[in-house]
Amino acid sequence: MLKVSDLHFGYRFRPILQGVSCEVSAGEILHIVGTNGSGKTTLMSILAGLTKETAGSITLTCDNQEIADRRQKTEYLPAEANGLYGKMDAMDNLRFWQKLRGLSPSNEDIIAALAQWDLDHPLIRSNFPTEKYSTGMKRRLALARVQLSGTPLWLLDEPLYGLDAKGIVQFQSILSQHLDAGGAVAVVSHDTVPLETFRPKVLEIEKRTAS
Amino acid sequence: MKLLFSQTMTIVRHGFKIEWANPERWLSPILFAITMLILFSFSVGTIEGPDTAKLLVAETYLTAFFSLQISFARFLEPDQQDGVFSLLRTYPLSGSAWYLGKYITVMIMGLLILIPTIFLTSFLHAKSGVSLMSIPVITVAVTALSGMAALGVLLSTMTMGSGSKQILYPLLYFPLTAPVLISAVEASKSILVDNVNLQSLMSSWLGLLLIFGVMSFTLGILLFGELVKAE
Amino acid sequence: MESEKLHVGMSLLMIGLVALTWTWGLKWAPTELHMGEVYRIIYVHVPAAFTAFFSAFILLIASIVTLIKKESSAGLWGRSVAEVGLIFTVLTLATGSIWGRPTWGVWWEWDARLTTTLILALLYCGYLILYSSLAAGPQRNKIAATLGIIIAADVPIIYKSVTWWRTLHQPPTLIRPGGESTIDPEMRIALVSCMVVMIIVGAFLTYQRYRNLALAEELEKLSYEQTP
């Protein structure tokens, strides 16, 4: 599904990624590992289309068709942000991101997705600003956004940050649903145990050494 | 095309929800306008004599300019929280739809500041016998606003990543919109004092305002997409 | 080292050219009938003003190139030309003010050209402050280029509005053809020479500033390579 070949990236004059190649097919998980500062988050933001690579190619194919605008088929979960409007409730937040994709989900769909993340209580999902959520709740809501996007490729940067044991189980079940439906996932996570059941492909990014 | 329209409308509708959820965002510019008008009255004193219309017009537009600037400068603040703006950039959102949606929102928010300001000046200075609440004056004001809003959205996007945007925004915004202030004041003055109609103003001040509006909007549509593209 | 010598030589040549044209204008050119000796400041004022506005035009070109060719050094050129433009706008304002004292009787008059120059000076300052307040990188180049284009597009409108504001309350048409006053041929030659030299000096300063900025970047690059 996703094929990255010989990807290079440098910020200003500092080379960060030097020749990264990897491949993920439908139903697979790519686990990107590396030490702090090795460029995992940078790689994710390049894949998400936020940063432009200096050299190399990224191709995304869905149903044997190459996708020109990768953003249409990719959903990104950043490491340190959840992309939530703090003053708005969970329903409005999710609906906004859905509509930008040209989808028009019914309330029931959104509530069903929220139920899988334990956020469907009427007092929590509506008329309750998300800025009052706890860290784990915000992360779960962001994951619900990823789940609802209906895109085949998910890019999850530290998705487990702030999740409790129950949240991790929920995450695993959603992940296997997505993989069974023919989706693919690229994950950056320091917490490897919850991912092991999926037998992920591992991509190790080495930190650049001083020349 | 359909997606473009629906994305634009989503941005507009969402923009209003945000404003509704943060009432202080639109209330504070209006309160600021009232404060300015009171200060003007204190400093200028009773307005009478041949220069009444001139002073009233100047007072109104200056007040509107300052409160609009406050509103425009803070316009993208909700999008800056929690990585929303970056996430928007990873969405299949067309730059034009994005700009257009923001422009329409800013335009309506601007009207909600501009019209009350014009009304308030006329209300507070009713004794002077000059009223700005007339169709030609409001037409001039709205034309001026259309250019300022187009520039405002672009400038907010540009100064977003800057550490000193509080001071930088007015520093860039006021010199760039100087022709708008001059044209709006002069056009309104000729309407009120010399009873000039809009048609004949089209070849002068109103024409200049229109050119400024068209130029800002075109630059906005062209350059906004460039600003939000992957770097 | 060879190139250093060349640069020193070029700088001396620039100083010589400026000295020559200014002496010509301030000493040898004929005295003006109405204003007398005072008028001679135009040999500094007008070329400076011309260079200041010409810099805005170069800024526009550098900005467009930055947006089209991402990897080019046009971003640095934009910054250099804005700095040089700022110097010349300040020079224009100073000489304009000095000239205004004997002719208008005051240090400042809301003359259309002078006012536009003042606004342009503010815009150059805004450009440079925005540039320095942003983190280095391609995004900064894009933002600065956007502002460069906006400034260049706005200057004619500012000029038009200020002219109307000063002259007519009911300007008849958008474009008003107007001929400049006639000028003595010898004065004209002196003035044109001064202008050409000022443009060359402006270009030289811009180039030097560009080299300076490029060197700073090179240094940064080297320091990055030394650290892991």
Side-chain angles (χ1 to χ4, degrees), chain B residues 39-108:
Chain B
L39 290 182
F40 259 119
S41 288
F42 288 164
S43 55
V44 177
T46 323
I47 301 177
E48 51 192 0
D51 285 341
T52 307
K54 225 161 118 180
L55 272 170
L56 273 188
V57 166
E59 187 180 317
T60 314
Y61 281 109
L62 263 183
T63 307
F65 250 63
F66 279 107
S67 18
L68 285 174
Q69 189 271 127
I70 291 178
S71 160
F72 291 171
R74 302 177 55 199
F75 180 61
L76 283 175
E77 269 174 21
D79 286 347
Q80 276 175 274
Q81 58 180 322
D82 206 9
V84 167
F85 195 81
S86 309
L87 199 59
L88 277 168
R89 289 174 56 203
T90 70
Y91 261 62
L93 173 59
S94 125
S96 326
W98 194 349
Y99 180 77
L100 207 63
K102 289 291 183 197
Y103 176 71
I104 295 172
T105 319
V106 166
M107 199 54 201
I108 297 171

Side-chain angles (χ1 to χ4, degrees), chain A residues 52 75 82-83 85 87 100, chain B residues 7 14 22 79 82 91 231:
Chain A
K52 190 130 181 75
E75 182 74 26
N82 296 310
Y85 285 94
K87 295 267 185 222
L100 284 184
Chain B
Q7 284 181 337
H14 190 73
N22 303 273
D79 286 347
D82 206 9
Y91 261 62
E231 55 211 50

Side-chain angles (χ1 to χ4, degrees), chain C residues 51-70:
Chain C
T51 316
F53 283 88
F54 191 70
S55 301
F57 177 67
I58 301 297
L59 179 61
L60 174 69
I61 293 173
S63 300
I64 293 173
V65 174
T66 312
L67 286 183
I68 295 171
K69 288 173 76 180
K70 296 275 148 57

